[in-house]
Structures are given as structure tokens and as C-alpha cells.
Amino acid sequence: DVRVEEMIRQFRHLFGDEHLELSILTIDPELTRGYFRTVRQIHLPKIFPKFLFDVVHEQHAVIACEGSMFKSKFSSALATMMVGALGLASAEQKLAVGYGGEAGAMDPTLQDLVKRYCRDSLIIARNVASQDVLAKLGVASRPGTDTAWTFEPAPAEVGRKVFLDHGWDGKTPILALCPINAFWWPVKPNVPRAFVNSFSGIYDDAHYGSVYFHNDSAEVEEKQEAYLHAIANAVTRFREDHDVFLAMVGSEQLDRSACERLNEILGGGHPVIVSDDHDMYDMVSIMRTATYMVSSRYHACVTSMAGRVVSGGITMDERIRNLMADRGQPHLSLDCDDPDLEEKTYVMLETLVRDADAIRRGIDECVVKNLVRMGQMGMILVDHVKERHPDFPFRPELGLAGDPWDHLPELPPAVQAIVERGGRP
């Protein structure tokens, strides 16, 4: 939601509200109620092909973005929806843009869809690794980044109050742990199972929604327990020498069970703060109150960086790994299924404390670098629209001949401070 909010702010800045009528698909209108000003929210059913055909036909353009836009790790159905929207727009000779998405391992069927239906789209990938994956499928792409860098959360006092209400003394460094259910992907459709579950509920724990289910084998549970125990054991060792206030933070509501289980393994009594109880503005303020963070959520890392939170990642796919490489700190990315995860997490925690100043400098440089890339994405988009719609009344300073900084929405104070400290490149 944070990433989408900033896409919308950038598009409003580039196109102007008077020339723009935005619609957005939402799986759960209750969860996104009040988000995305000036945008009409359209409920996306989980069985979507006919719906998607009708909705795309009504629009002049499609812009698709999802961290797992071109990968099967989470759900081939989700990727199929993204690719399908781009393909439908291209078939009607409309603007079809993939904006800041990521590509990774795909099953053969999804690869074929991408090859066939994304060749005529403008794809701006989130990193070079994603560009390489797409190139092997014969799909050209342009370099870009994530779009969450310009997000402005609730004031810092909001995050501080949440921790104070949970017993924080206002001074002790906060260590935020952001675990996920790392092994219950991909989500796949299973119609017979959905039918049985509809009257028995025996598969509720694995039920994602409609006919879709998480992977819930015994092996998945065993791997998840090993991952959580490795983190807990490393943190317990770390706390023998470091006084920190622990909190489990779930920036995605699906993370609640992982956060609660990790809290339980750590002995209980620690705050469990999850986004099903807080909106995105409060969640980012909460995360930026932390001093240190160990996260398996990509956007927990990204959105906390403007708050200069010293973070490391434990990843299930390429995203955090790519982010830490972009920061010049690849050693701060671990794999969630590493057999030596406990020892490596302990070493990473010690590194976060020992090298905090150097890590923050790397974070600052990375934020500025990605702001430039986000601005360049706006430049590419403007010129692409100019080619298709030469009469569109863009401001004269916009486009590839302009300055990336003119293509960004207004920067919040914390981000502006990082830019001023480092200077514009």
C-alpha cells in the first residue's frame, strides 16, 4: 500500500489531477478504505479473468506494479493477473506499463505468458537482476526502483506513543523483529479443497481466500519452526550483552501468526504490533521508532531506511538480497532456510551495533540513489506517454530532457534531510 500510495502521488504530480482519472484494484476494500486520495477503488474478485477484461476495456491505460509481478514464488495467479492486465491493454493498443515490479523464478506456463503478452509493454524493473530475468524471456525493460522512497508516515510521536504504551522507557534502543511465514508459498488454487473447507473449515489455517490455499505441509511447519527458533536463539544470545527493547512487528497482516509465535518462543511478554491494527501511516512511524531491525519483509526495510533504522534482512527470495546489495551491504542479507541461520543472525545483530554509523551512511546513499532512479522512472513514463499522446499538456520541464528531481512528488522532511545531508548527485 505504501508503494502504491507513492506511485499515485508521483502520477498526480506528473499528469495533474485535472487531466487524470485514476482507478485502482483492491482485494479488500475495507483494508484500503481511506487510502489513495482522488482514486476510485474497484473491488477485484479472486476469480478475475472476465472482470479484468471488462475493467481494462474501460480504461485508457494500465499500470501494473507488484513486488512479485513476474515470479511464481508467491502466486502464479497474482502474476497472471498482472500479465493479463498488461496483455489486454496492449491488445487494445493502450498504454501498458509495468512500473517498478520485480522478476524472478517463474514456472514454464507463466514464462510463456510473459514472453507472449509483455513484449509490447513498457516494463520499468525494480533492479538489474529483474531486467536480466526478463531479457532471457525476450522482454525488454528499463531500469528503475521501488516507489516507496518518498512516503511520509504519521508523525514520529505516533510511533513513540505505541511503544511507550507497550512499556518502553523512551530511551532503551528498540530492536524490531519482522518475521514472516516464510515457507507457505506459493498460494495455489485447489477447488476440491475449497469445497470441503466451505462446510468443514478443516483447512482454515491454510485458506488464503476463495479457492486459493497456502502450502501447509508438515515440512513447511518444520522449516518455519527452525527459522523462528534460529532468530529467537540469536536474539537471546545478543541480549546477553546488549540492552534492547524487543518488539515483533508485522507490516503485513499475514505476518501476525509468525510474530505471535516468535514472541512465544522468546518467552512472551513482548509487543506484537501488526498492520491489521494500524494503518500504513502509523505502521511506518512505528517502524522508524526502532533503532535496529531484522526483517524478512522487504518494505519494512525500505520504509524504515528514511528513518535511518539500522537494518538487516533474512530473505525468502531475491528482493531483500537485491536491496542490501544496492546499499553496498550484501553481508546484511541472510537466507531464511540457511542451516547456519542462528549463528549468522547473531553475527548480523552484532554487526548492526558495531557498524551502525557506517550502515547509516550506506542507507543515506542508497535512499538518494533510489530517489534519482524514481525520478528517472517518471521521466521515462512521461516520454512514453508523449509518444502515444503528443497533445497531452505536460509541463515543459518534464521528460527525459529534464531533471529527475522535478519528477518526484513533494519529499517529506525526513527524506529531504537525507538529501540535504548527502547533497544531490
Side-chain angles (χ1 to χ4, degrees), residues 293-315:
M293 173 182 287
V294 173
S295 176
S296 291
R297 277 284 172 199
Y298 172 86
H299 276 103
C301 293
V302 168
T303 57
S304 67
M305 283 170 60
R308 308 189 82 214
V309 178
V310 181
S311 60
I314 302 176
T315 186

Side-chain angles (χ1 to χ4, degrees), residues 64-321:
C65 181
E66 163 57 30
S68 52
M69 186 152 64
F70 302 112
K71 60 174 66 176
S72 298
K73 182 72 173 181
F74 289 93
S75 170
S76 287
L78 174 63
T80 298
M81 191 272 286
M82 294 283 172
V83 173
L86 294 173
L88 286 166
S90 294
E92 295 191 355
Q93 297 185 331
K94 297 175 176 178
L95 290 165
V97 180
Y99 202 75
E102 197 149 332
M106 291 175 256
D107 62 38
T109 304
L110 182 57
Q111 286 184 348
D112 290 343
L113 283 174
V114 173
K115 285 180 185 178
R116 183 172 181 180
Y117 295 115
C118 293
R119 289 182 181 275
D120 296 326
S121 301
L122 170 66
I123 306 297
I124 306 176
R126 198 155 67 181
N127 47 56
V128 173
S130 293
Q131 286 188 270
D132 292 342
V133 171
L134 292 170
K136 291 175 182 176
L137 300 178
V139 177
S141 61
R142 304 286 294 274
T145 184
D146 192 81
T147 55
W149 302 101
T150 53
F151 184 74
E152 182 170 12
E157 292 75 18
V158 172
R160 286 183 58 85
K161 184 178 186 304
V162 169
F163 282 110
L164 290 169
D165 289 347
H166 279 92
W168 180 49
D169 63 7
K171 298 178 291 185
T172 302
I174 296 171
L175 170 58
L177 302 175
C178 307
I180 61 172
N181 291 282
F183 304 97
W184 66 350
W185 308 97
V187 169
K188 293 183 177 181
N190 188 323
V191 174
R193 199 180 208 200
F195 174 72
V196 172
N197 196 63
S198 67
F199 58 80
S200 69
I202 62 174
Y203 301 118
D204 276 349
D205 288 346
H207 190 210
Y208 178 79
S210 183
V211 298
Y212 298 99
F213 290 85
H214 290 284
N215 184 4
D216 65 339
S217 67
E219 181 184 7
V220 166
E221 185 173 345
E222 183 179 326
K223 287 182 176 180
Q224 179 71 4
E225 282 292 295
Y227 154 78
L228 293 176
H229 274 87
I231 296 172
N233 292 343
V235 169
T236 299
R237 289 173 59 193
F238 174 76
R239 294 180 73 200
E240 292 175 1
D241 298 312
H242 302 278
D243 184 19
V244 291
F245 182 84
L246 277 187
M248 317 301 131
V249 179
S251 57
E252 158 63 58
Q253 63 173 351
L254 292 174
D255 300 339
R256 175 169 288 282
S257 61
C259 288
E260 291 177 345
R261 177 59 181 145
L262 181 57
N263 182 42
E264 182 181 336
I265 296 170
L266 283 163
H270 308 293
V272 175
I273 305 168
V274 185
S275 64
D276 49 12
D277 288 332
H278 303 273
D279 66 23
M280 62 182 176
Y281 304 102
D282 288 0
M283 280 304 304
V284 176
S285 176
I286 289 164
M287 290 189 288
R288 290 187 185 179
T289 308
T291 306
Y292 309 108
M293 173 182 287
V294 173
S295 176
S296 291
R297 277 284 172 199
Y298 172 86
H299 276 103
C301 293
V302 168
T303 57
S304 67
M305 283 170 60
R308 308 189 82 214
V309 178
V310 181
S311 60
I314 302 176
T315 186
M316 60 171 284
D317 64 2
E318 305 92 342
R319 292 173 300 164
I320 291 176
R321 190 179 307 121

